Amino acid sequence: MLDTSRRGMLRLMAGGSLSALAVAQAPMAFAQDAAPIYKNAAAPIPARVADLMARMTLVEKIQQIRTAWQGKGEMIDDLAFNSAKASAAFPDGIGHVTRPSDKRGVPGITGAAGGTAARWRTPQETVEFINALQRWALEDTRLGIPILVHEESLHGYMATEATMFPQAIALSGTFDTDLMRRVQSVIAREVRARGVYYVLSPVVDTVRDPRWGRIEETWGECPYVCGEMGVAAVEGLQGPGKFEKLGPDKVFATLKHMTGHGQPEAGNNISPAQLSERELRENFFPPFREIVQRTSVGAIMPSYNEIDGVPSHANTWLLGDVLRGEWGFDGIIASDYGGVHELFTLHHVAESMEDAAHQSLLAGVDSELPEGQAFATLQEAVEAGRIPVELVDRACARMLTFKFRAGLFENPYGDREKTRRITGNAEARELALEAARKSMCLLTNKDGALPLNESSMGKVAVIGPNHAIARLGGYSSVPKQTISLIEGLRQVAPDADFVTAQGVFITTSEDRSQDLIYLADREENLRLIEEAVEVARGADTIVLAIGDTEQTSREGFARNHLGDRTDIDIVGEQNELVNALATLGKKLIVCAINGRPPSWPNVVEKADAVLECWYPGQEGGVAMAETLLGRNNPGAKLPVSVVRNEGQVPLFYNRKPSSRRGYLFDDAGPLFAFGHGLSYTSFDVSAPRASKSTFGTEEDVEVEVDVTNTGSAAGDEVVQLYITRKDVSVTRPVLELKGFRRVSLQPGERQTLGFTIPVRHLAIWNRQMQEVNEPGPVTLSAGNSSANLRTTEISIR
């Protein structure tokens, strides 16, 4: 039988799909085997964890919940893993290594935020490092515990040669969950091939402030879209549904960042989230809850911010009562980088690093990333009786469970040949192109300015700071190839006459890792504008590529590395470039290449058409060219409301009835509504038809909507289904999205789409903060934008 120490471990374990009861039911043969139970792949995971923990020292347990990033320098010679150095520096093993693909720890490498191959290992070097690391862990450490390694994979594996897909906000704008699954599946296999079983994505924060530089990393402002895209992303990374063990070519995902991160005070990253419990439960919790309850998502990452005075990394209500208690989450909680020690150094709710470690463990944090600075104090604190050993045991048990579920004890290695074969291969590249095509969102198209007709467009001046560079966005590395707009145009239309001009520069460099950012020299830009005007004067059509860089819209992760802005219009002299070109009276087409939503009223007024391209990924140049030339019909929609200016912030479609009374001298409405996006053809979306007029409080609502292509070209439409609830106990939004479907239709083709609105999506949090589906009228609305809807009335009794 299991000894009493192992029984104690069972009470502490959380994670995986097996309950502790499985240990008691395990065949007694496991306990009688000569080999330790934890090395028996057929034994139940809880039994393996209990057996292993009973053999571990306190220091070995603490090592399992710490991480090494800069510490990689203590285990390498140049780039190669050195087992002797590792044994000397880490005599009690290594639990977790941060970003094996980057060169952190190598002399002279202090950061690796993306954008330059000089900061990254090659794919083969990464596999070699991981395999040597794991061989040492399995063969040269006392208990042979494999090491967990993690990487970033927001819109592609953030490592050299990996496929870079469109940025997250662009993928969300496709409103295509099947595409999201396929994209994330390719990301997973490229990551897994190198020996990585765990990624820090996706970001499922509901975002409501475009001043925030991380808005590009999100799925947008709608809790429902964030949830559905999040479920699809996790299914692509991990596999669908509930499971115990990770399958081939899959990796564990991490939901980031719980929560309130997307509406920080003044739009400043990590600032307090001034949100009530009702606001959290209605708009910020739903994506996390939906994913936790529908998938086996492996990990959750708390947010940097505080909620009601309590930082998320110390919030026992958030991480314990809600996440693990109400929702039944059974994976690991991994800190954001520095999130634990900032309880002491930033938030000042902890009196020391030790206290920060204690508070985070109490809240349920299991792993401190990226280095484990606060958890380094645990040995002395536990031995002195200041921190209960049970807290360390609980976190260690969860981390070991995670490793067993990942299959690391059986095979923790990467595959060099498979990495070479599948990384950035033709299949992945084609999918990146498909994703880029589907992420193109046509915002305006005056008098049918687009698509351009190759036979009549004449000479085309391609101008702007983003016309000859492939902008990938944050959390990118260096893929095998990229295609800029001008390269795409020349590839798609090799016989066309394209001339180019820089127009302006946006900032003084292209290094996204650079801390201090400076706008480009104004006088030089004014000279470049004059040159661009002369080039455009001799052309018939102007294509202008403007927007952001990876410096002007990014994560502000330190006081000397900022990314948020108070002015959300295009920066520098870009508007002056627009004005100068507009005076020529030629057709002016704008390609918006950006991470922040295009709150560009001057551009919208002056341009004949605006194509929102976001950061379209490595193949974006071809997708933009095909769309401009009519070979790809844009079908994406905006996953955010685009404000006219920062004075409207926060503005979102699911507003309350008392909002937007109006302003003096300005419009209260958005520049572009949530869900907006035009096409080169036309569509008719019918009013929704419910299966009956009255539903019980425990009944799902069944709805049908017809969509017809009424134009002359094939195209995609995104049918959107909203509800409005009235006459209930608390105020409700004027609109709530509860279903969407992207469909491809030939001219004249009609499809009838079926939607089911489950009871949980009809329920509200009443005045007693109970989740109930209250009786009352419900307006069902269907259309192709939140601003273009037809309605039907039903009731719930």
Side-chain angles (χ1 to χ4, degrees), residues 6 21 90 341 359 453 471 513 575 638 656 698 727 782:
R6 292 182 191 170
L21 180 62
F90 303 94
H341 71 69
Q359 289 192 37
N453 187 321
R471 298 231 175 263
S513 298
N575 266 318
L638 288 171
K656 292 297 184 71
E698 300 300 319
D727 300 340

Side-chain angles (χ1 to χ4, degrees), residues 114-173:
T116 169
R119 293 189 176 97
W120 301 89
R121 287 179 167 87
T122 66
Q124 303 309 315
E125 290 169 343
T126 301
V127 174
E128 289 168 5
F129 172 75
I130 290 174
N131 287 353
L133 177 75
Q134 298 289 18
R135 276 194 299 273
W136 169 80
L138 266 62
E139 298 172 10
D140 294 350
T141 63
R142 187 176 76 88
L143 292 170
I145 303 174
I147 296 166
L148 184 66
V149 298
H150 74 257
E151 295 276 16
E152 299 282 359
S153 68
L154 178 67
H155 58 113
Y157 179 15
M158 195 176 76
T160 49
E161 300 188 17
T163 310
M164 287 292 115
F165 294 93
Q167 183 56 285
I169 197 167
L171 289 173
S172 182

Side-chain angles (χ1 to χ4, degrees), residues 373-414:
Q373 291 170 271
F375 283 9
T377 66
L378 287 173
Q379 180 184 358
E380 181 184 348
V382 171
E383 289 176 345
R386 295 189 298 271
I387 293 179
V389 68
E390 288 80 8
L391 292 179
V392 173
D393 286 344
R394 181 175 69 177
C396 180
R398 290 172 178 160
M399 295 306 296
L400 292 175
T401 298
F402 194 74
K403 290 183 177 184
F404 282 118
R405 293 185 66 205
L408 286 169
F409 281 79
E410 285 67 59
N411 179 17
Y413 301 113

Side-chain angles (χ1 to χ4, degrees), residues 186-446:
V186 168
I187 293 172
R189 77 184 188 197
E190 291 192 356
V191 173
R192 177 71 177 265
R194 296 192 201 186
V196 179
Y197 289 66
Y198 172 38
V199 295
L200 304 186
S201 69
V203 173
V204 296
D205 296 307
T206 302
V207 64
R208 288 179 159 184
D209 199 322
R211 296 172 297 181
W212 188 47
R214 302 192 72 174
I215 190 170
E216 68 182 58
E217 300 175 33
T218 75
W219 306 138
E221 73 183 41
C222 177
Y224 181 79
V225 172
C226 291
E228 292 304 303
M229 286 297 185
V231 167
V234 170
E235 289 178 341
L237 291 168
Q238 296 193 169
K242 296 291 185 178
F243 59 83
E244 182 182 56
K245 293 185 179 180
L246 202 59
D249 292 334
K250 296 300 179 183
V251 295
F252 275 123
T254 306
L255 302 186
K256 304 188 327 188
H257 311 81
M258 193 170 170
T259 189
H261 204 38
Q263 194 173 348
E265 183 178 284
N268 238 190
N269 193 40
I270 82 169
S271 292
Q274 307 288 9
L275 302 168
S276 67
E277 181 181 350
R278 180 177 304 283
E279 192 69 33
L280 290 169
R281 289 191 178 277
E282 290 182 351
N283 293 301
F284 292 86
F285 283 178
F288 292 90
R289 178 186 181 184
E290 198 75 11
I291 299 165
V292 166
Q293 295 185 339
R294 287 167 57 185
T295 75
S296 285
V297 63
I300 301 285
M301 178 176 284
S303 54
Y304 285 118
N305 56 274
E306 64 176 79
I307 299 172
D308 196 24
V310 182
S312 297
H313 284 78
N315 197 324
T316 55
W317 171 76
L318 181 71
L319 303 180
D321 296 348
V322 176
L323 176 61
R324 290 201 186 276
E326 295 180 22
W327 304 347
F329 175 66
D330 60 2
I332 66 169
I333 298 176
S335 84
D336 208 337
Y337 285 21
V340 174
H341 71 69
E342 285 183 354
L343 298 175
F344 170 54
T345 61
L346 176 66
H347 294 289
H348 307 299
V349 295
E351 62 185 20
S352 63
M353 293 285 266
E354 177 188 310
D355 189 29
H358 192 183
Q359 289 192 37
S360 65
L361 285 171
L362 282 169
V365 174
D366 303 308
S367 179
E368 185 188 4
L369 308 183
E371 209 77 54
Q373 291 170 271
F375 283 9
T377 66
L378 287 173
Q379 180 184 358
E380 181 184 348
V382 171
E383 289 176 345
R386 295 189 298 271
I387 293 179
V389 68
E390 288 80 8
L391 292 179
V392 173
D393 286 344
R394 181 175 69 177
C396 180
R398 290 172 178 160
M399 295 306 296
L400 292 175
T401 298
F402 194 74
K403 290 183 177 184
F404 282 118
R405 293 185 66 205
L408 286 169
F409 281 79
E410 285 67 59
N411 179 17
Y413 301 113
D415 186 328
R416 182 171 177 165
E417 173 54 28
K418 185 174 184 179
T419 294
R420 184 200 62 76
R421 188 174 69 252
I422 70 168
T423 298
N425 65 8
E427 179 189 355
R429 192 172 180 183
E430 182 59 36
L431 183 60
L433 177 57
E434 178 188 348
R437 287 168 175 153
K438 288 187 172 181
S439 70
M440 296 291 113
C441 182
L442 185 60
L443 298 181
T444 68
N445 196 19
K446 300 171 186 175

Side-chain angles (χ1 to χ4, degrees), residues 476-793:
S476 301
S477 183
V478 184
K480 283 183 177 178
Q481 67 285 308
T482 60
I483 302 176
S484 68
L485 172 61
I486 185 59
E487 290 170 334
L489 285 166
R490 287 173 172 155
Q491 177 179 320
V492 173
D495 298 326
D497 188 3
F498 297 111
V499 293
T500 66
Q502 179 66 29
V504 297
F505 287 100
I506 299 176
T507 59
T508 57
S509 85
E510 291 294 343
D511 182 0
R512 71 189 66 178
S513 298
Q514 183 173 307
D515 290 327
L516 301 180
I517 305 301
Y518 302 96
L519 291 174
D521 181 74
R522 175 170 173 78
E523 294 306 314
E524 173 63 11
N525 273 347
L526 293 178
R527 186 189 67 79
L528 290 171
I529 289 173
E530 292 180 0
E531 287 185 359
V533 168
E534 288 309 307
V535 169
R537 199 184 304 278
D540 301 290
T541 302
I542 303 169
V543 172
L544 180 60
I546 53 177
D548 286 318
T549 79
E550 290 85 353
Q551 292 185 338
T552 63
S553 176
R554 67 178 187 176
E555 178 182 2
F557 59 71
R559 291 187 184 277
N560 69 333
H561 189 100
L562 301 174
D564 311 312
R565 299 211 317 256
T566 57
D567 183 353
I568 55 177
D569 204 340
I570 45 176
V571 297
E573 286 69 47
Q574 292 184 89
N575 266 318
E576 290 171 80
L577 174 62
V578 171
N579 294 340
L581 294 174
T583 61
L584 296 176
K586 300 177 186 291
K587 182 182 289 188
L588 178 59
I589 308 299
V590 168
C591 285
I593 301 174
N594 48 299
R596 203 181 301 273
S599 296
W600 308 344
N602 179 61
V603 172
V604 171
E605 178 187 350
K606 302 286 175 56
D608 292 292
V610 177
L611 180 66
E612 176 56 86
C613 306
W614 302 108
Y615 294 136
Q618 65 178 54
E619 308 297 326
V622 170
M624 290 186 284
E626 290 178 337
T627 306
L628 292 173
L629 298 171
R631 302 188 190 185
N632 175 59
N633 193 345
K637 304 290 183 177
L638 288 171
V640 290
S641 304
V642 178
V643 299
R644 297 175 182 276
N645 53 62
E646 54 275 1
Q648 291 185 312
V649 175
L651 184 150
F652 36 87
Y653 86 92
N654 51 339
R655 64 184 179 88
K656 292 297 184 71
S658 58
S659 67
R660 295 193 206 166
R661 174 170 287 180
Y663 301 100
L664 287 172
F665 319 124
D666 205 351
D667 192 319
L671 185 62
F672 296 108
F674 172 85
H676 170 74
L678 304 176
S679 172
Y680 296 153
T681 189
S682 57
F683 295 93
D684 179 77
V685 179
S686 73
R689 298 186 303 275
S691 58
K692 55 184 178 179
S693 60
T694 302
F695 294 82
T697 57
E698 300 300 319
E699 287 184 271
D700 298 342
V701 173
E702 303 289 340
V703 181
E704 288 186 342
V705 179
D706 298 330
V707 54
T708 307
N709 183 340
T710 58
S712 57
D716 287 9
E717 184 59 288
V718 178
V719 177
Q720 303 160 42
L721 178 66
Y722 298 83
I723 68 168
T724 306
R725 301 222 54 183
K726 298 178 181 178
D727 300 340
V728 288
S729 61
V730 294
T731 61
R732 300 303 304 153
V734 296
L735 285 175
E736 296 177 80
L737 186 67
K738 297 300 179 182
F740 61 84
R741 193 83 49 78
R742 180 167 179 155
V743 293
S744 299
L745 298 175
Q746 295 297 315
E749 183 181 0
R750 185 180 77 171
Q751 280 192 28
T752 298
L753 307 179
F755 296 90
T756 299
I757 307 175
V759 171
R760 71 180 188 279
H761 290 167
L762 295 164
I764 66 172
W765 292 89
N766 65 16
R767 296 191 185 193
Q768 290 74 43
M769 290 305 293
Q770 299 167 329
E771 191 176 24
V772 294
N773 185 14
E774 291 187 352
V778 178
T779 301
L780 302 174
S781 304
N784 57 11
S785 158
S786 64
N788 183 29
L789 300 169
R790 292 174 173 170
T791 63
T792 299
E793 301 295 328

